[in-house]
Amino acid sequence: MMEHIATPFGRRTMTLGQIASQVRARAAPKDAVVNKWHAFQHIREARALLGATDRALAILNALLSFRQETVLTGEGNVIVWPSNEQLMARANGMPPTTLRRHLAVLVDCGLIIRRDSPNGKRFARKGRRGEIAQAYGFDLSPIVARAAEFNDLAEAVQAEKRAFRVAKERLTLLRRDIVKLIDTGIKEGVPGNWSRARQNYEAIVGRLPRSAPRQLVESICGELKVLWHDIRDALESFANSQNADANESRSGRHIQNSNPDSISESENALEDNEEAGVNAEKTDNLRKLPRRDLPLGMVLDACPNMQEIARGHEIRHWRDFLGPEQELFPVTRQGRTEHERVLDWPDLGAYAACASPLGRRNGMNPSTRSRGSPQE
């Protein structure tokens, strides 16, 4: 690396910034190693702070591509010497005037140093062993010297972007909340000067330009926060008063329902429900009793008068038993519908067993049957 201060060729002037850039490049540690593409990524993130343009970064990317090694070191020669035609080709066909203008931007930003030859040409002179003894072109050593600075600037830019994004989100939420709360206060009839609140909101938001910096956005958010607190306090105070009135109303109804007469009525209703439950339980128990099949002979022994009602017919089966039993219906003043439902019984024996004691209880005999009335 050359030790003397490089001056530009031709009419180009020298600046103190360029001298400072060369001094900083010489102060870089000899053992410094920098990945050129990582450094370029940091430069691209911090281009606004560095003052670089998009076209200038495109030219810097092309210059880095002429360096075969991926890393740049503080020791050795990091100069590239492409011609303008080669640079324009790798910069996507950039015009010559644009190329020269943005090369000057890279120099002013301190990203590269011009190492011009006596005649202004860019070339490299090799030594006897094939090494680069002398090179004239663009020196990339400032990237090695300022790699840590570029990294810090990139992190600062990322932090600023995050803070700006948070500030814009906060502004959006405050604007939405204030508008919704004002509309709620108007619709619900909450006491308050809501037109004045809306005017204050519009006056604060009216100072916000289309493209506002983060500091202005945060200042606007602070003023909106104060207005939001006032509106929220008014709505919460009104809601609490409404809840208190509702609690008092419910307490009055509770006292009214505590009348002893209403308690006695509730007790009577409870007793009726308990009696109904007991009756239903008894009915269920009767339905759950096991079914017992009675022999025909046992029923005939218990009701000997059924043989008399049978008019001499011998009763051998349950269906024979139904013949005399049918005579009971007019005697017991049962409706004919009862007899019609006999055939619906699943067990004829059970029906006959139920009907036989009925005939015995009514004292049935041939004489009473002929008169068609039960024996008193």
Side-chain angles (χ1 to χ4, degrees), residues 134-273:
Q134 183 68 41
Y136 297 97
F138 302 103
D139 190 356
L140 303 178
S141 58
I143 296 177
V144 180
R146 303 176 62 185
E149 178 188 354
F150 297 150
N151 186 20
D152 295 339
L153 290 176
E155 291 180 355
V157 170
Q158 291 295 332
E160 177 67 18
K161 287 182 179 180
R162 287 192 296 267
F164 195 18
R165 182 169 60 251
V166 171
K168 289 192 294 185
E169 291 176 357
R170 183 185 176 194
L171 176 63
T172 301
L173 292 176
L174 284 172
R175 295 180 64 177
R176 184 183 67 188
D177 293 347
I178 291 174
V179 171
K180 296 290 185 180
L181 291 178
I182 291 176
D183 292 341
T184 301
I186 296 174
K187 292 180 181 179
E188 298 295 335
V190 179
N193 193 350
W194 298 112
S195 60
R196 179 64 178 274
R198 188 182 295 276
Q199 291 176 0
N200 293 338
Y201 165 75
E202 293 176 352
I204 295 173
V205 177
R207 301 200 308 269
L208 192 66
R210 182 180 297 272
S211 298
R214 178 181 60 85
Q215 292 76 11
L216 180 58
V217 172
E218 291 180 349
S219 177
I220 296 295
C221 287
E223 298 182 21
L224 291 177
K225 189 69 174 180
V226 175
L227 180 60
W228 177 84
H229 274 296
D230 295 340
I231 297 173
R232 186 200 63 178
D233 293 343
L235 293 178
E236 288 183 353
S237 177
F238 182 76
N240 292 333
S241 63
Q242 293 294 104
N243 292 334
D245 296 341
N247 292 334
E248 292 178 0
S249 177
R250 284 196 295 269
S251 300
R253 289 198 299 269
H254 177 70
I255 295 173
Q256 182 179 1
N257 292 335
S258 300
N259 192 338
D261 296 337
S262 62
I263 295 177
S264 61
E265 293 176 359
S266 301
E267 292 178 351
N268 294 333
L270 180 60
E271 292 177 357
D272 295 340
N273 292 334

Side-chain angles (χ1 to χ4, degrees), residues 84-151:
N84 287 346
E85 289 76 9
Q86 291 174 330
L87 272 178
M88 288 187 293
R90 294 200 182 186
N92 301 323
M94 186 178 295
T97 55
T98 305
L99 176 66
R100 288 192 293 269
R101 184 170 63 252
H102 289 287
L103 280 172
V105 172
L106 291 176
V107 173
D108 294 337
C109 293
L111 297 177
I112 62 174
I113 299 173
R114 283 183 179 271
R115 301 289 183 182
D116 292 341
S117 64
N119 59 1
K121 302 291 184 180
R122 302 181 198 129
F123 63 92
R125 182 180 297 112
K126 295 182 180 181
R128 294 181 178 180
R129 299 179 181 180
E131 74 279 5
I132 303 297
Q134 183 68 41
Y136 297 97
F138 302 103
D139 190 356
L140 303 178
S141 58
I143 296 177
V144 180
R146 303 176 62 185
E149 178 188 354
F150 297 150
N151 186 20

Side-chain angles (χ1 to χ4, degrees), residues 34-37 63-73 77-80 140:
V34 177
N35 187 301
K36 63 180 182 180
W37 299 122
L63 290 174
L64 291 173
S65 65
F66 286 103
R67 180 76 178 180
Q68 295 182 356
E69 292 81 2
T70 305
V71 295
L72 303 177
T73 61
N77 194 349
V78 287
I79 300 176
V80 292
L140 303 178

